[in-house]
Each structure stands twice: as structure tokens, then as C-alpha cells.
Amino acid sequence: MRIGELAHRTGTTPKAIRLYEARGLMGAVARAGSYRHYGEADVARVLLIRQAQALGFRLAELDGLPHIDTTAGWERMAQLVAQRRAAVAQELARLAALDAQLALLEAELHTCDTLAVPATPQACVAPSALVAPPPPHAPRRSPAPHRHL
């Protein structure tokens, strides 16, 4: 098949396929005269590249892809997947800490809303907001003054 059909079957563009080839991700591509000729293995390779990109991998990280059919290639890809999973776990922990901080702020706002009379900012602070732990993996910087609404 030619590049247009490969692009159509994989949901990409000929330009993207040429980029994958230029970066060495496609391995050796057969030629029929001046035209590139692709087979089913190339379809699978492009779909794998697209799946990796959808999972957050950059093309520069996929340098072992042309050798994925070897033990070293599989080990390289498994290592990349493990690294990506670790990064996702770290991001999930950061988001959980952010969610906890938002819950504290929500409780503080709810406390202020339930007071029937004007109150001082200290009166609106939810008790647990006074001892909130810092989020894990947060960059260290000088604390900003806490402003109450």
C-alpha cells in the first residue's frame, strides 16, 4: 500500500508518517520504484506510535521502537512504560493534594456562608484549614499569606 492508504488506515497524515520515518521510528521502508511501499507491519507500527503518543509519550522517547521485535526493544519499551506510570502516579498524588486543599477551601466558604451575620475572616476559617499539611512533591517556596474570603 502507499502512504495515503497507510495514513487513512491509521488515522494519521502522510506528513506524520514521513516524520516517523525521518525520526527512525518506522525502520526500513520498502520501495517500489520511487514510491514507498507499506505492509501490515507498518500499519501496526504506526498504530503503536499513535497509541504511545495518546498515552503521553513524546516521539523522542520512542527511539527503541524500530527494534521492538527484539528482547532489547521490548525491555526498552517496558522501561519507558514503567517510567511513564511512575510519572502518572506522582501526578495523581499532586492532584489528590490539590483536591484536599480545595475541599478545605470549600469547607471554609461553606462556614462563612452559614454565618448569619458579618464575621471576621478568622471566624470563617474551617477548623481543619488551620492545620492543613503541605501537599507532597510541592515546590518549596516562602509561604504566601493566607487570604480569607
Side-chain angles (χ1 to χ4, degrees), residues 15-139:
K15 184 177 179 179
I17 294 170
R18 287 187 199 99
L19 174 64
Y20 302 157
E21 287 180 37
R23 296 190 71 100
L25 300 176
M26 296 289 293
V29 176
R31 292 201 177 255
S34 61
Y35 294 99
R36 295 174 178 96
H37 182 73
Y38 300 94
E40 293 304 315
D42 297 308
V43 172
R45 181 70 45 104
V46 171
L47 290 173
L48 181 61
I49 292 168
R50 300 220 354 118
Q51 180 183 23
Q53 287 182 301
L55 292 171
F57 290 97
R58 297 183 326 266
L59 290 179
E61 294 175 298
L62 302 177
D63 61 356
L65 196 59
H67 308 290
I68 197 165
D69 298 332
T70 67
T71 301
W74 283 114
E75 288 173 4
R76 169 76 175 126
M77 294 310 294
Q79 181 184 28
L80 285 173
V81 169
Q83 290 170 353
R84 183 73 182 137
R85 290 192 71 210
V88 167
Q90 186 175 12
E91 181 66 6
L92 285 172
R94 185 189 71 77
L95 290 172
L98 179 62
D99 185 56
Q101 289 178 331
L102 288 169
L104 290 173
L105 179 58
E106 185 176 49
E108 182 178 327
L109 292 172
H110 181 68
T111 301
C112 287
D113 188 42
T114 58
L115 294 175
V117 296
T120 65
Q122 288 76 19
C124 292
V125 176
S128 60
L130 297 174
V131 291
H137 309 294

